[in-house]
Amino acid sequence: MMREVFEAFLTDPVRVNEDVFALWLEGRHANDALAVRLRSPHESLSIIGDDHKMRELLWRDTVDQYRLYEKLEHYLMQPSLFRSQLLFQIPPIQQYFMIERYYSLDGHVARWLVGKKLTTAKIQKDLDEISEQSQRTLKSCRRQLENLRRVYSAMEERNFQGVCCKAVGEIFSLSEKLASKYSCVLFLLHARLEVHPTHRTTSFLTWHDLLFIAAVIMVHWVPQRKTAPVLLRTESAPAPMTTTSDTLSTPLPSPGFGALSPPPVVIPQVSLGTFDNPAEVCFRSNDKNQVWPKLSVLQERLVPTSVRGSVGLDLSTTLTNGLRDLKAHLINDSETLAIYRENVMTHLKELYDGNEMKQLSVKLYLVVHGLLTIGAGLSQPKELKDLLGNLVSMVIRVLHDCGIQRTQLDDVFTALIDSLPKLDVWYLHGLETRSALLASWERFLSVTRVLVLLMFDRGSLSSQ
């Protein structure tokens, strides 16, 4: 009988000091880490009774910890490898902690990374500036840049398909909360939104603003696997309208013809293409008052984890195609566009004195034309990247020039949405076409309203 000889070794589990690990991640030198530990009450070794010995012990432990983390960094870069390696015996719960901390995003650093091309060599040269502006060490900035590059490359290999949050979490062993933040950042990078702090129009946006903007757009304009109840409207949706073949063959009455009064304005809620349950948290409530949600409420409800059901990073083609078709119809029909503007102003003059809306009646064409242009441009990457800048230059500045107050914005967007179904045009007669165009217009303007509210009173928005 043959005997097989196995070589084995025993080792103590690796002890990870979380405080020292945090200092190492920050890029602090071992001497700085020692000074922090000496000031920390948790590191008290008064039982030794000798300050010199205590300092020596802490110094040796700090150096050993730093040496350990330098060896572990290769595995931390590849979490799947870190979890399967046998060289360092680290409890699973501590492995997850270390991976989560290693891939953590510092808003001060990430704010300067978003808006840049991660694949260019120039960004390496910009790290010194990023370190100076964010007041973080160069090592910390480089770590976060490389982490973001790895996450971006992993999703790029998948053509940015699938549920981004789930994929990032599985590939890099991250929590849903952190994976959701990466999903928001990936969307901003994939869309190439012009949001860098040096941008002349959007430089005032903060890190939390960008996460909120990404969450708002992703849950409303990107296809959804499943929408949580918290992302639906505040009231239950009305029962869908049923239409028989007889009603389909009956043309809609034209305004001013016939004895029948026009039907009430109803925006059909239809499923947009690949959307399963599209989010409606930015929409007006379904009750008779149709109240718009406050910005503060939306900022509480739309957080990075809201995007965990977003499928891919590209906008819904049904939404973008509907907006593109709507622009083609209205821009090329000056008479219909004039009627639409007249309907908008009629709605607003019922609520406000004529003098308050006098300037808007003159410049409303610029607002409508700007919104149609921005909406149609969502299907083009070159136009999508300028979404926020175009909203500022084409919409917000014009509204400011017209003397529109922040408190009046809800009524303006209500008028813009409710005036479209009143048009008597052929492309709004067919039920399927009508539903798609009206739903796309409402979805676009509901999100646009949130973005306008977020940026309305901030930055230098006066006309130039």
Side-chain angles (χ1 to χ4, degrees):
M1 181 177 179
M2 296 182 62
R3 293 183 177 180
E4 295 185 5
V5 179
F6 295 93
E7 293 185 359
F9 67 92
L10 297 176
T11 179
D12 293 331
V14 174
R15 185 182 67 85
V16 176
N17 186 305
E18 296 180 2
D19 295 331
V20 178
F21 184 61
L23 294 169
W24 177 78
L25 286 177
E26 292 175 8
R28 306 283 287 273
H29 191 271
N31 289 326
D32 298 331
L34 175 63
V36 173
R37 296 186 72 180
L38 288 172
R39 293 194 300 267
S40 174
H42 302 291
E43 300 288 359
S44 177
L45 297 176
S46 56
I47 189 173
I48 297 177
D50 189 329
D51 291 343
H52 178 72
K53 289 183 178 180
M54 181 186 74
R55 183 184 181 90
E56 184 66 21
L57 284 174
L58 284 179
W59 169 249
R60 290 181 180 180
D61 182 65
T62 302
V63 172
D64 289 343
Q65 291 278 322
Y66 266 55
R67 188 181 299 114
L68 169 65
Y69 303 144
E70 293 293 341
K71 294 178 180 179
L72 285 175
E73 187 166 20
H74 169 70
Y75 299 103
L76 288 169
M77 292 178 183
Q78 307 172 69
S80 59
L81 184 62
F82 181 52
R83 293 171 58 188
S84 61
Q85 60 84 28
L86 300 176
L87 184 59
F88 301 96
Q89 298 299 308
I90 302 175
I93 189 171
Q94 205 159 39
Q95 290 183 24
Y96 283 111
F97 164 80
M98 295 181 72
I99 294 172
E100 191 82 359
R101 290 299 304 270
Y102 188 82
Y103 273 85
S104 61
L105 285 170
D106 185 333
H108 295 87
V109 177
R111 179 65 186 89
W112 283 87
L113 293 176
V114 175
K116 284 183 172 290
K117 292 183 179 180
L118 302 182
T119 56
T120 61
K122 185 177 182 298
I123 194 171
Q124 290 286 356
K125 300 177 182 178
D126 294 339
L127 279 179
D128 289 331
E129 179 188 359
I130 294 175
S131 174
E132 180 181 354
Q133 294 292 342
S134 63
Q135 297 184 348
R136 299 296 187 267
T137 64
L138 184 61
K139 181 179 179 180
S140 176
C141 295
R142 182 176 290 109
R143 171 179 60 83
Q144 294 181 65
L145 169 62
E146 295 302 327
N147 288 345
L148 194 52
R149 276 178 164 175
R150 278 189 289 273
V151 175
Y152 188 88
S153 297
M155 291 307 300
E156 190 175 32
E157 291 176 358
R158 299 186 173 204
N159 294 321
F160 301 102
Q161 300 299 313
V163 181
C164 185
C165 177
K166 181 181 179 182
V168 171
E170 290 178 349
I171 295 173
F172 295 94
S173 302
L174 303 180
S175 66
E176 185 180 74
K177 182 177 181 180
L178 184 55
S180 299
K181 283 187 178 181
Y182 270 103
S183 298
C184 291
V185 176
L186 290 179
F187 173 78
L188 296 172
L189 293 172
H190 180 63
R192 298 182 179 179
L193 288 180
E194 296 285 359
V195 291
H196 194 263
T198 58
H199 194 273
R200 61 185 179 87
T201 305
T202 58
S203 59
F204 61 89
L205 294 172
T206 66
W207 167 242
H208 294 291
D209 289 335
L210 296 184
L211 292 180
F212 175 66
I213 289 172
V216 170
I217 295 177
M218 289 181 71
V219 300
H220 288 88
W221 290 355
V222 173
Q224 300 293 302
R225 178 187 59 178
K226 183 179 180 181
T227 299
V230 72
L231 298 182
L232 300 179
R233 298 195 191 196
T234 54
E235 298 289 337
S236 58
M241 295 183 297
T242 57
T243 307
T244 63
S245 57
D246 292 335
T247 56
L248 279 175
S249 61
T250 305
L252 296 176
S254 301
F257 292 90
L260 295 177
S261 59
V265 176
V266 177
I267 305 295
Q269 295 304 308
V270 298
S271 178
L272 296 180
T274 54
F275 283 91
D276 182 12
N277 292 304
E280 299 173 346
V281 66
C282 287
F283 287 35
R284 295 173 292 177
S285 62
N286 274 319
D287 54 24
K288 62 180 181 179
N289 295 324
Q290 292 192 319
V291 179
W292 285 103
K294 294 182 179 179
L295 180 62
S296 58
V297 174
L298 294 175
Q299 289 173 322
E300 292 178 0
R301 298 178 66 185
L302 287 172
V303 293
T305 50
S306 302
V307 308
R308 59 184 178 271
S310 298
V311 181
L313 297 178
D314 295 319
L315 305 188
S316 165
T317 55
T318 306
L319 172 68
T320 55
N321 289 344
L323 294 172
R324 185 183 58 200
D325 293 343
L326 190 60
K327 179 198 173 186
H329 290 312
L330 288 178
I331 295 297
N332 295 326
D333 188 349
S334 58
E335 182 179 350
T336 302
L337 187 58
I339 296 174
Y340 174 71
R341 299 202 310 272
E342 183 179 343
N343 291 341
V344 173
M345 292 310 305
T346 300
H347 182 105
L348 292 174
K349 288 178 180 178
E350 292 176 355
L351 303 174
Y352 300 99
D353 181 78
N355 292 329
E356 291 185 77
M357 295 293 151
K358 184 176 181 180
Q359 289 297 322
L360 182 61
S361 63
V362 176
K363 296 186 177 182
L364 182 60
Y365 173 81
L366 297 177
V367 175
V368 174
H369 189 279
L371 289 171
L372 289 171
T373 302
I374 294 171
L378 294 180
S379 59
Q380 302 295 327
K382 292 183 179 180
E383 299 294 332
L384 176 59
K385 70 183 183 67
D386 294 321
L387 169 64
L388 300 178
N390 287 340
L391 280 176
V392 171
S393 60
M394 296 182 181
V395 179
I396 296 179
R397 283 179 179 158
V398 178
L399 293 176
H400 269 291
D401 292 343
C402 295
I404 299 298
Q405 303 298 314
R406 184 184 183 87
T407 54
Q408 298 172 325
L409 288 175
D410 287 354
D411 294 323
V412 171
F413 278 93
T414 296
L416 289 169
I417 292 174
D418 290 348
S419 296
L420 185 63
K422 298 178 182 179
L423 295 179
D424 178 32
V425 286
W426 64 269
Y427 47 85
L428 292 181
H429 284 181
L431 182 62
E432 183 177 351
T433 305
R434 177 184 178 87
S435 298
L437 291 178
L438 297 185
S440 296
W441 187 236
E442 182 183 22
R443 184 166 293 277
F444 167 67
L445 287 184
S446 296
V447 172
T448 300
R449 165 190 169 269
V450 177
L451 302 180
V452 169
L453 280 173
L454 183 67
M455 301 186 292
F456 193 73
D457 295 326
R458 300 167 62 187
S460 178
L461 301 178
S462 59
S463 60
Q464 298 177 354

